[in-house]
Amino acid sequence: QVRLFAGATEVPLDTRALAYWPDQSIKWLLLIFPRQPGGVRAATGRGDGREAALRLTTRAGGDAAESYRLVFGSEVRRGALEAGVAVRREGDQVSIDTGPLQVRLRPGRQWLAGLRCEGRERVRDDGQAQAFVDFFRPGPEGYATGTTHPQGVADPGPVAITRIDVEESDGLRAVVRLEGLAEAAEPARVILRLEAWAGRPLVKITHTVEFLHDDPRTAFVR
């Protein structure tokens, strides 16, 4: 029940309620929209209601601030997206299609099965693991704080993905979660999240590691 405008132009919009007041009205609403729509299109919404002025600022700040109007109310309906992010699951594999970008994901060390951007394949499978969490284990003399420790053993941790879940799909954004283990002497749990947006030729990856060592003093991130 919201529409977003930049001047007189309606902006393609996806929303998610993040929190509610006790009467179940919305307390926090996440707005997902492109600053530059590009190939993202949506039907024209309908209805008028109350308005709230918004200022969008980037990390650069200063003159980068942009003005928007949020129109909301019981009679307001935003226009449906004509094309969003398509996420498909086939068995244990997942594919993401933003339009200019197609990503294919699968379990194993070569979890990025393919990445095609603007018609060109960008990934070459060389048989190597595509993510690592490498460790270094100091020698039996231990590690003296405040110093470096050139003596020790490298403990590589190629990541093998064992599970792929679609956390968000459709609309303007998709988030896919991959979980696996860095296969070091003491495996660490690894979680990768791939975030993609409709009409955009890029993907954002966050890389989270949970250290599961019995003694964190005997293994250091390399």
Side-chain angles (χ1 to χ4, degrees), residues 105-127:
L105 305 168
R106 63 188 176 191
R109 291 188 176 187
Q110 292 81 40
W111 48 269
L112 185 57
L115 190 150
R116 191 171 184 84
C117 185
E118 298 177 341
R120 180 181 175 185
E121 187 65 37
R122 306 287 180 167
V123 173
R124 176 175 57 86
D125 187 357
D126 58 4

Side-chain angles (χ1 to χ4, degrees), residues 13-14 63 92 146 210 221:
L13 178 66
D14 194 10
D63 297 335
D92 57 359
E210 298 178 8
V221 177

Side-chain angles (χ1 to χ4, degrees), residues 44 61 64 69 75 119 126 145 151 192 195 198 200 209 217:
T44 302
R69 292 184 298 118
E75 303 301 318
D126 58 4
T145 59
Q151 302 301 317
L192 304 174
E195 184 174 2
R200 303 294 290 172
V209 182
R217 297 170 299 177

Side-chain angles (χ1 to χ4, degrees), residues 12-14 40-43 78-85 170-173 198:
L13 178 66
D14 194 10
V40 180
R41 297 180 301 277
R78 71 174 183 267
L81 293 172
E82 295 181 6
V85 182
D170 301 324
L172 287 171
R173 181 175 70 169

Side-chain angles (χ1 to χ4, degrees), residues 55-122:
R55 295 281 288 170
L56 174 67
T57 59
T58 68
R59 291 181 179 178
D63 297 335
E66 300 168 5
S67 298
Y68 292 85
R69 292 184 298 118
L70 186 70
V71 179
F72 59 97
S74 59
E75 303 301 318
V76 178
R77 297 292 184 275
R78 71 174 183 267
L81 293 172
E82 295 181 6
V85 182
V87 180
R88 298 181 179 86
R89 177 181 287 276
E90 296 182 5
D92 57 359
Q93 301 190 28
V94 171
S95 63
I96 306 170
D97 189 346
T98 72
L101 177 72
Q102 295 80 43
V103 180
R104 302 185 303 278
L105 305 168
R106 63 188 176 191
R109 291 188 176 187
Q110 292 81 40
W111 48 269
L112 185 57
L115 190 150
R116 191 171 184 84
C117 185
E118 298 177 341
R120 180 181 175 185
E121 187 65 37
R122 306 287 180 167

